[in-house]
Amino acid sequence: MSHHLCESELSGIELTSESQRWELRVLQTPEEMRTVEELQRQVWPGSETDVVPTHLLLTAAHNGGVVVGAFVEGQLVGFVFGFPGLEFTPDGPRPKHCSHMLGVLPEYRDQGLGFALKRAQWQIVRHQGLEHVTWTYDPLLSRNAHLNITKLGAVCNTYLREVYGQMRDGLNVGLPSDRFQVDWWINSRRVVDRMEGKPYPRLPLSHYLKSGAPVLNPVEWDDEGWPHPPASSQAAMEDGHPLPTVLVEIPADFLTIKATQPDLALAWRFHTRALFEELFANGYVVTEFIHESGRPPRSFYVLTRDTRGA
Ligand SMILES: CC(C)(COP(=O)(O)OP(=O)(O)OC[C@H]1O[C@@H](n2cnc3c(N)ncnc32)[C@H](O)[C@@H]1OP(=O)(O)O)[C@@H](O)C(=O)NCCC(=O)NCCS
């Protein structure tokens, strides 16, 4: 019964996909969910207990949750999964969509599939009448930051320490599971423009530097070319007043650091934890992300603060 309800509810939505290379589909059957289990094992290898099982995916999908798959020649190569949730505001509890997982097989990354899956989720969640989607991601992952902040238009001023306790999967073992929780205001002009493929401003690093926005923590390179966080960071103040815009640098390739330099990975975690917690407490919001693919590639968050009356 719930299966039929769910099918008719979503069948009116035609998922946007300008690419001929893949097909996007809302997933609803036990067989489809089993392929999502299998895909999770490939995207997050190493921990069977962290796989979201078929029965939970199905129950979520039959109760307002959204599971969308991307297929190439009939093979599932990516998926997005989330479910309705509640957030607690000064006006009382409000409904939102909690997006839990987004995964694309390594050989299909950087082709726009992550974006396409999130846009499908955006279409469905808007259709459900919700306005707010949240999810968490590791703020040290440059590719994820570029996708979430630049391409999708999410913003962030929430830093969560150790969200998942000790994680056991191969991508995360041994590092505190600190996360950004991002806000995706799905009816905002900022997000709608991006989802509809309209142009939006993407300014280079030089623009920010020229306009007086400092990099609070420029990386220091060692002899082997590893980026280290500086011993101390510049304050986000000038003449006793908070600056309207500041930049925070992160490594452009944290995945390699995590895999080969665990002490350096930990140093980056604690360095950025302190910096972001302080900036968010002082009213800053992550609004843009810059990734410059030079030699070496470099990555920066842009944080802005309303300085009127400050
Ligand atoms: C995060 C993930 C879903 C992204 O999927 P994807 O299909 O590669 O996403 P897209 O192709 O839409 O976007 C990736 C963007 O990052 C860019 N990119 C690649 N490496 C980058 C880097 N080091 N820094 C910044 N941007 C980078 C790509 O060029 C692309 O941007 P562009 O379209 O402007 O060129 C995928 O990498 C993945 O499955 N990762 C492992 C699991 C994970 O981290 N999931 C999310 C948290 S639950």
Side-chain angles (χ1 to χ4, degrees):
M1 179 68 176
S2 58
H3 186 192
H4 288 292
L5 266 181
C6 189
E7 249 178 5
S8 58
E9 168 59 20
L10 298 178
S11 56
I13 305 180
E14 201 172 311
L15 299 178
T16 310
S17 178
E18 63 277 298
S19 171
Q20 304 296 318
R21 284 171 295 161
W22 57 69
E23 184 205 346
L24 299 178
R25 228 168 42 222
V26 174
L27 307 182
Q28 321 202 50
T29 69
E31 295 71 35
E32 289 171 330
M33 297 315 180
R34 258 175 230 119
T35 63
V36 174
E37 272 188 10
E38 197 43 50
L39 186 61
Q40 291 176 63
R41 293 187 184 100
Q42 294 173 48
V43 176
W44 294 275
S47 176
E48 187 55 26
T49 43
D50 287 338
V51 171
V52 177
T54 292
H55 65 84
L56 187 52
L57 293 166
L58 277 174
T59 307
H62 292 168
N63 290 278
V66 177
V67 189
V68 177
F71 295 84
V72 174
E73 289 164 9
Q75 188 208 350
L76 185 72
V77 299
F79 79 105
V80 64
F81 163 55
F83 44 84
L86 284 179
E87 63 189 331
F88 300 91
T89 75
D91 300 326
R94 293 282 179 269
K96 69 167 182 178
H97 182 88
C98 175
S99 181
H100 188 52
M101 285 176 142
L102 171 70
V104 172
L105 284 180
E107 57 272 35
Y108 290 94
R109 288 180 194 160
D110 297 339
Q111 300 171 25
L113 251 176
F115 177 84
L117 284 161
K118 289 296 284 185
R119 187 173 49 192
Q121 180 189 60
W122 170 82
Q123 281 187 280
I124 294 168
V125 174
R126 259 161 69 98
H127 178 81
Q128 293 177 328
L130 299 177
E131 294 184 343
H132 192 200
V133 180
T134 63
W135 65 92
T136 64
Y137 79 98
D138 185 337
L140 287 168
L141 295 179
S142 177
R143 178 200 266 122
N144 298 47
H146 175 73
L147 174 60
N148 292 332
I149 309 296
T150 306
K151 292 180 69 176
L152 298 174
V155 293
C156 177
N157 63 354
T158 308
Y159 192 94
L160 304 173
R161 286 189 188 193
E162 290 268 17
V163 194
Y164 301 111
Q166 287 292 323
M167 294 188 82
R168 294 161 291 194
D169 71 86
L171 291 186
N172 290 296
V173 73
L175 197 69
S177 54
D178 291 16
R179 295 290 180 263
F180 271 5
Q181 179 173 294
V182 297
D183 296 300
W184 205 27
W185 297 103
I186 56 178
N187 295 320
S188 68
R189 181 57 38 216
R190 172 183 167 92
V191 172
V192 172
D193 280 355
R194 283 159 161 85
M195 294 304 104
E196 292 178 347
K198 300 216 176 93
Y200 54 88
R202 283 179 69 170
L203 303 172
L205 176 66
S206 57
H207 171 97
Y208 288 99
L209 297 179
K210 269 188 227 141
S211 70
V215 179
L216 299 182
N217 64 333
V219 306
E220 291 170 2
W221 305 93
D222 70 19
D223 294 343
E224 291 171 16
W226 293 106
H228 290 251
S232 64
S233 307
Q234 185 185 327
M237 304 283 275
E238 196 173 56
D239 303 330
H241 297 287
L243 289 159
T245 306
V246 296
L247 306 176
V248 170
E249 184 159 10
I250 62 162
D253 183 10
F254 188 64
L255 283 176
T256 302
I257 295 178
K258 221 163 54 156
T260 61
Q261 308 279 324
D263 291 345
L264 183 56
L266 261 185
W268 271 108
R269 172 66 84 228
F270 292 130
H271 167 79
T272 45
R273 175 191 279 181
L275 202 46
F276 286 125
E277 283 186 343
E278 191 186 338
L279 289 167
F280 291 163
N282 285 314
Y284 287 91
V285 181
V286 168
T287 51
E288 305 294 340
F289 185 75
I290 308 164
H291 174 67
E292 302 218 320
S293 53
R295 277 178 174 228
R298 295 182 71 176
S299 298
F300 305 85
Y301 283 100
V302 179
L303 295 98
T304 53
R305 183 187 191 281
D306 187 351
T307 47
R308 284 169 298 177

